[in-house]
Amino acid sequence: MTDKEITELNLKSATYYGAQLQMNHFTEELAELIQAAAEGDPQHIAEEIADVEVMVEQMEYLLSLDTIYIESWATHILLANDIESCIWHLAAPIKSINKLRRVNLATAADPDMSKDEVQIKRQTANHDLETDIGELVSYLNWLAGRYSIAAEEIREIKSYKVQRTRDRIELETGSICKKVVDDKAAAQAQDLADYCKQQTECEPGGCIFATTGEGCILSDYARPELWPDAIAKQQQEGQKNG
């Protein structure tokens, strides 16, 4: 999937869920990335960087943020070369998101507030969020460099996750049947299996797509009966019964 295709699917999902829900999701993904950075596991960090990049794109779109300013700030910020500073900047957008929420609540609670005052409060909150996201983007790149995470690896994870989200939405809205979703999941599991074979240090429980410590299950969305461990177990039971 190309970067353009990833963005198109991602923004469709953003529109479906809406700004308020995705603001919550953004803060959740930031918290998960902070935990991954504190643990220092490169594979976990790669997955969480991908999640946060997906949500940054959604925030820029849903909140009409100034992407030119964000990109410029991300390019010119002077980074501190330590994990503690990184974690602080990963957390900063959470505070900005909460500030924006408070502005929205205050304006809703006070219908007599002038339009000029509302505009100033929202512009200030948005600008703070744009600045924090610019710094966040810089530290995402810093993290990737620190742990030698290739851009292609992050793109592959993003591609998988935005497609999974779209499949879930289509299933929820009835625009796609469960069989089609299951068939796509099976094909996707094979794609991930092929991807995993290319990894030189993939161990049980260490795969970026694993969700348990019992081995690589390729995906937390593919049907359990498609997981390699389950297939092997079925084959063994078949041989015993035979």
Side-chain angles (χ1 to χ4, degrees):
M1 192 182 298
T2 65
D3 289 336
K4 181 179 179 181
E5 290 170 334
I6 291 173
T7 295
E8 288 175 351
L9 284 182
N10 190 32
L11 297 188
K12 285 181 180 179
S13 298
T15 301
Y16 174 79
Y17 287 115
Q20 294 304 314
L21 186 60
Q22 295 311 85
M23 287 166 70
N24 293 338
H25 193 187
F26 180 40
T27 60
E28 291 170 0
E29 295 297 356
L30 288 171
E32 291 177 8
L33 177 56
I34 289 169
Q35 180 179 354
E39 293 170 351
D41 179 0
Q43 292 178 328
H44 189 191
I45 290 171
E47 185 173 4
E48 299 305 336
I49 287 176
D51 284 337
V52 170
E53 286 189 356
V54 165
M55 294 312 302
V56 164
E57 190 172 58
Q58 290 196 15
M59 290 298 96
E60 291 174 341
Y61 174 70
L62 292 170
L63 302 178
S64 300
L65 302 180
D66 187 343
T67 56
I68 295 177
Y69 172 78
I70 290 172
E71 292 172 3
S72 175
W73 191 253
T75 302
H76 294 95
I77 181 179
L78 182 62
L79 299 180
N81 192 30
D82 62 271
I83 197 67
E84 290 80 10
S85 295
C86 174
I87 289 175
W88 190 92
H89 283 88
L90 296 181
I94 298 175
K95 182 178 179 180
S96 296
I97 284 287
N98 289 335
K99 180 177 180 180
L100 183 59
R101 286 198 186 102
R102 288 195 297 271
V103 169
N104 291 335
L105 289 172
T107 55
D110 186 2
D112 296 328
M113 187 180 297
S114 69
K115 291 183 178 180
D116 289 341
E117 187 176 357
V118 170
Q119 184 176 11
I120 291 173
K121 286 181 177 292
R122 284 184 175 163
Q123 284 180 344
T124 301
N126 276 0
H127 183 70
D128 289 346
L129 180 58
E130 289 162 354
T131 299
D132 286 340
I133 287 181
E135 295 176 358
L136 167 67
V137 170
S138 291
Y139 275 97
L140 293 180
N141 295 331
W142 180 84
L143 266 178
R146 178 184 177 92
Y147 292 98
S148 301
I149 302 169
E152 179 62 20
E153 181 178 356
I154 294 174
R155 190 177 69 82
E156 287 291 337
I157 301 171
K158 289 168 65 176
S159 174
Y160 159 69
K161 293 205 170 187
V162 298
Q163 183 60 63
R164 181 185 65 178
T165 301
R166 286 307 304 168
D167 288 344
R168 284 175 172 168
I169 291 173
E170 290 177 354
L171 186 59
E172 289 173 7
T173 58
S175 57
I176 186 172
C177 68
K178 186 176 185 303
K179 182 180 184 304
V180 173
V181 173
D182 286 343
D183 288 345
K184 291 176 72 174
Q188 198 168 54
Q190 183 57 52
D191 289 342
L192 293 175
D194 293 340
Y195 175 82
C196 284
K197 289 176 183 177
Q198 300 172 15
Q199 308 307 303
T200 58
E201 297 180 358
C202 187
E203 299 177 355
C207 175
I208 54 176
F209 298 106
T211 57
T212 75
E214 300 175 354
C216 177
I217 59 174
L218 303 179
S219 157
D220 60 357
Y221 184 52
R223 291 180 297 169
E225 62 265 32
L226 296 175
W227 299 343
D229 291 346
I231 293 175
K233 184 176 181 180
Q234 290 172 5
Q235 292 174 342
Q236 291 174 357
E237 291 177 351
Q239 292 173 355
K240 290 180 180 179
N241 294 335

